[in-house]
Amino acid sequence: MNSVIDALSLDHKRGAAEIVNDVGELFHDIADYAEEDSAAAEQLFRRAVRRLARGQPSMAPVLNLLNRVCLAWEASDPDWMRFKDHLVVLRESRRRGIEKMIERVGELPRPEAPLIAFSNSSTVAQLILECHRKFGSPRRVFCSEGRPMMEGLILARKLVAGGVEVTLFTDAALMSRTVEAGAVWIGGDSLSSEGLVNKIGSRALAILAKAQGIPFISLMDSNKILSSQMFGFFRLLKQNPREIAADDMKGVEIVNEYYESLPMKLVSAVFTERGLSKPKSLLASYDYDPVSPTFERLVSGSM
């Protein structure tokens, strides 16, 4: 399980929903292992929280899940069977969230012109495919490669497999295609009072969409909403420069960033299990979890 923890902490290619599901299953496996060795399971639990919070500090749903897992641990006092019951409730809540989004998919605008979908989000892919199945729209989606990890190719393959026509561009070329698009749909790695965080390049797309007068919509479940207290654990990390330039380039500063923040004024709407909302209205009405003392101590290194 240590290798699983390490792999999940370094996974920057898949969408947040996929990573969160695997993190949830990891804690189920740790709870199962407690039947053999409770002390070793507790060590795995603590390492998983620390390693994942530090490895995925740019993914709000990972941070929120780790906090909720710690709250569940505290409520279990600690009883591994009770802890597993709490994990089942958390898993069901995540599953129900995406189901509600699918049920409300008809609320999303369905432009006749091509839809731009940026980067790889399993939530965006599911909702595009559901719209296409139910309404025959969007018929065509513009995607880009998603450098440097090329995760945009994953999204393109998912959509083609579901019968959607896809045109794939370089990231730079996609920006020029907003004049042909009817809307831009992106995922979202976090939403807070500080703004919306998503794949680098999202801000440029949002600016272009606003200039063209087309909707720029973030599709995410509410697990990606961060309270002001939880935002203190959120960080945007610079990544390995060798993903951009394999060799040393003397005198050249290489900046490799996966994520960036967008001001809320650039976001037309956020679509969650509650339907379409303005970002500020959604944040004001959300019921936030308290921060777990266990989570706080583990991530700060004091436990």
Side-chain angles (χ1 to χ4, degrees), residues 119-135:
S119 187
N120 176 40
S121 162
S122 59
T123 300
V124 172
Q126 279 184 275
L127 294 174
I128 289 175
L129 292 173
E130 187 67 11
C131 279
H132 181 76
R133 184 183 69 82
K134 283 186 175 179
F135 311 112

mmCIF file of all heavy atoms in Angstrom, residues 119-135:
data_model
loop_
_atom_site.group_PDB
_atom_site.id
_atom_site.type_symbol
_atom_site.label_atom_id
_atom_site.label_comp_id
_atom_site.label_asym_id
_atom_site.label_seq_id
_atom_site.Cartn_x
_atom_site.Cartn_y
_atom_site.Cartn_z
ATOM 1 N N SER A 119 -8.222 20.270 -21.111
ATOM 2 C CA SER A 119 -7.547 19.345 -20.204
ATOM 3 C C SER A 119 -8.387 18.080 -20.035
ATOM 4 O O SER A 119 -9.303 17.808 -20.818
ATOM 5 C CB SER A 119 -7.259 20.013 -18.851
ATOM 6 O OG SER A 119 -6.467 19.173 -18.039
ATOM 7 N N ASN A 120 -8.069 17.279 -19.020
ATOM 8 C CA ASN A 120 -8.782 16.021 -18.803
ATOM 9 C C ASN A 120 -9.522 16.063 -17.483
ATOM 10 O O ASN A 120 -8.919 16.150 -16.420
ATOM 11 C CB ASN A 120 -7.812 14.837 -18.800
ATOM 12 C CG ASN A 120 -8.512 13.530 -18.474
ATOM 13 O OD1 ASN A 120 -9.628 13.283 -18.931
ATOM 14 N ND2 ASN A 120 -7.869 12.688 -17.685
ATOM 15 N N SER A 121 -10.833 16.033 -17.553
ATOM 16 C CA SER A 121 -11.683 15.932 -16.365
ATOM 17 C C SER A 121 -12.666 14.808 -16.606
ATOM 18 O O SER A 121 -13.414 14.838 -17.587
ATOM 19 C CB SER A 121 -12.426 17.250 -16.125
ATOM 20 O OG SER A 121 -13.525 17.058 -15.264
ATOM 21 N N SER A 122 -12.688 13.815 -15.724
ATOM 22 C CA SER A 122 -13.626 12.709 -15.898
ATOM 23 C C SER A 122 -15.064 13.205 -15.758
ATOM 24 O O SER A 122 -15.976 12.696 -16.409
ATOM 25 C CB SER A 122 -13.343 11.591 -14.893
ATOM 26 O OG SER A 122 -13.450 12.071 -13.567
ATOM 27 N N THR A 123 -15.285 14.235 -14.912
ATOM 28 C CA THR A 123 -16.624 14.804 -14.758
ATOM 29 C C THR A 123 -17.078 15.466 -16.049
ATOM 30 O O THR A 123 -18.214 15.260 -16.507
ATOM 31 C CB THR A 123 -16.643 15.825 -13.604
ATOM 32 O OG1 THR A 123 -16.267 15.167 -12.396
ATOM 33 C CG2 THR A 123 -18.019 16.432 -13.442
ATOM 34 N N VAL A 124 -16.213 16.276 -16.649
ATOM 35 C CA VAL A 124 -16.541 16.923 -17.923
ATOM 36 C C VAL A 124 -16.824 15.874 -18.990
ATOM 37 O O VAL A 124 -17.804 15.979 -19.736
ATOM 38 C CB VAL A 124 -15.413 17.871 -18.363
ATOM 39 C CG1 VAL A 124 -15.662 18.380 -19.785
ATOM 40 C CG2 VAL A 124 -15.298 19.047 -17.400
ATOM 41 N N ALA A 125 -15.989 14.843 -19.054
ATOM 42 C CA ALA A 125 -16.191 13.793 -20.055
ATOM 43 C C ALA A 125 -17.543 13.113 -19.863
ATOM 44 O O ALA A 125 -18.287 12.905 -20.832
ATOM 45 C CB ALA A 125 -15.063 12.769 -19.967
ATOM 46 N N GLN A 126 -17.893 12.761 -18.628
ATOM 47 C CA GLN A 126 -19.169 12.102 -18.361
ATOM 48 C C GLN A 126 -20.354 12.963 -18.780
ATOM 49 O O GLN A 126 -21.318 12.480 -19.383
ATOM 50 C CB GLN A 126 -19.292 11.765 -16.871
ATOM 51 C CG GLN A 126 -18.573 10.499 -16.447
ATOM 52 C CD GLN A 126 -18.824 10.189 -14.983
ATOM 53 O OE1 GLN A 126 -18.143 10.695 -14.097
ATOM 54 N NE2 GLN A 126 -19.809 9.354 -14.722
ATOM 55 N N LEU A 127 -20.268 14.255 -18.467
ATOM 56 C CA LEU A 127 -21.396 15.135 -18.753
ATOM 57 C C LEU A 127 -21.513 15.441 -20.245
ATOM 58 O O LEU A 127 -22.620 15.558 -20.772
ATOM 59 C CB LEU A 127 -21.277 16.419 -17.938
ATOM 60 C CG LEU A 127 -21.402 16.202 -16.421
ATOM 61 C CD1 LEU A 127 -21.135 17.491 -15.661
ATOM 62 C CD2 LEU A 127 -22.778 15.650 -16.048
ATOM 63 N N ILE A 128 -20.389 15.553 -20.932
ATOM 64 C CA ILE A 128 -20.444 15.721 -22.388
ATOM 65 C C ILE A 128 -21.086 14.498 -23.029
ATOM 66 O O ILE A 128 -21.977 14.613 -23.882
ATOM 67 C CB ILE A 128 -19.040 15.955 -22.976
ATOM 68 C CG1 ILE A 128 -18.531 17.342 -22.594
ATOM 69 C CG2 ILE A 128 -19.053 15.812 -24.502
ATOM 70 C CD1 ILE A 128 -17.090 17.604 -23.032
ATOM 71 N N LEU A 129 -20.655 13.319 -22.605
ATOM 72 C CA LEU A 129 -21.197 12.089 -23.180
ATOM 73 C C LEU A 129 -22.682 11.936 -22.863
ATOM 74 O O LEU A 129 -23.457 11.467 -23.705
ATOM 75 C CB LEU A 129 -20.403 10.885 -22.665
ATOM 76 C CG LEU A 129 -18.956 10.787 -23.165
ATOM 77 C CD1 LEU A 129 -18.206 9.664 -22.461
ATOM 78 C CD2 LEU A 129 -18.917 10.575 -24.684
ATOM 79 N N GLU A 130 -23.096 12.347 -21.671
ATOM 80 C CA GLU A 130 -24.507 12.259 -21.304
ATOM 81 C C GLU A 130 -25.338 13.241 -22.124
ATOM 82 O O GLU A 130 -26.437 12.900 -22.593
ATOM 83 C CB GLU A 130 -24.674 12.532 -19.812
ATOM 84 C CG GLU A 130 -26.084 12.301 -19.286
ATOM 85 C CD GLU A 130 -26.530 10.855 -19.302
ATOM 86 O OE1 GLU A 130 -25.662 9.971 -19.523
ATOM 87 O OE2 GLU A 130 -27.735 10.598 -19.111
ATOM 88 N N CYS A 131 -24.839 14.451 -22.315
ATOM 89 C CA CYS A 131 -25.527 15.429 -23.170
ATOM 90 C C CYS A 131 -25.643 14.911 -24.600
ATOM 91 O O CYS A 131 -26.694 15.036 -25.242
ATOM 92 C CB CYS A 131 -24.777 16.760 -23.162
ATOM 93 S SG CYS A 131 -25.110 17.809 -21.748
ATOM 94 N N HIS A 132 -24.571 14.343 -25.086
ATOM 95 C CA HIS A 132 -24.563 13.821 -26.454
ATOM 96 C C HIS A 132 -25.563 12.676 -26.604
ATOM 97 O O HIS A 132 -26.289 12.588 -27.609
ATOM 98 C CB HIS A 132 -23.149 13.347 -26.808
ATOM 99 C CG HIS A 132 -23.023 12.818 -28.198
ATOM 100 N ND1 HIS A 132 -22.985 13.617 -29.308
ATOM 101 C CD2 HIS A 132 -22.942 11.539 -28.659
ATOM 102 C CE1 HIS A 132 -22.876 12.875 -30.391
ATOM 103 N NE2 HIS A 132 -22.839 11.608 -30.026
ATOM 104 N N ARG A 133 -25.625 11.815 -25.578
ATOM 105 C CA ARG A 133 -26.542 10.672 -25.630
ATOM 106 C C ARG A 133 -27.993 11.113 -25.569
ATOM 107 O O ARG A 133 -28.842 10.619 -26.309
ATOM 108 C CB ARG A 133 -26.230 9.716 -24.471
ATOM 109 C CG ARG A 133 -27.066 8.439 -24.480
ATOM 110 C CD ARG A 133 -26.774 7.581 -23.273
ATOM 111 N NE ARG A 133 -27.261 8.181 -22.050
ATOM 112 C CZ ARG A 133 -28.537 8.105 -21.630
ATOM 113 N NH1 ARG A 133 -29.443 7.461 -22.373
ATOM 114 N NH2 ARG A 133 -28.911 8.669 -20.503
ATOM 115 N N LYS A 134 -28.288 12.068 -24.681
ATOM 116 C CA LYS A 134 -29.675 12.484 -24.474
ATOM 117 C C LYS A 134 -30.176 13.464 -25.523
ATOM 118 O O LYS A 134 -31.332 13.408 -25.939
ATOM 119 C CB LYS A 134 -29.823 13.126 -23.088
ATOM 120 C CG LYS A 134 -29.853 12.141 -21.934
ATOM 121 C CD LYS A 134 -30.140 12.880 -20.634
ATOM 122 C CE LYS A 134 -30.306 11.898 -19.480
ATOM 123 N NZ LYS A 134 -30.559 12.601 -18.197
ATOM 124 N N PHE A 135 -29.306 14.380 -25.940
ATOM 125 C CA PHE A 135 -29.775 15.497 -26.763
ATOM 126 C C PHE A 135 -29.089 15.598 -28.125
ATOM 127 O O PHE A 135 -29.449 16.467 -28.922
ATOM 128 C CB PHE A 135 -29.564 16.818 -26.003
ATOM 129 C CG PHE A 135 -30.074 16.803 -24.585
ATOM 130 C CD1 PHE A 135 -29.197 16.854 -23.513
ATOM 131 C CD2 PHE A 135 -31.431 16.724 -24.327
ATOM 132 C CE1 PHE A 135 -29.656 16.839 -22.204
ATOM 133 C CE2 PHE A 135 -31.910 16.706 -23.025
ATOM 134 C CZ PHE A 135 -31.023 16.761 -21.961
#
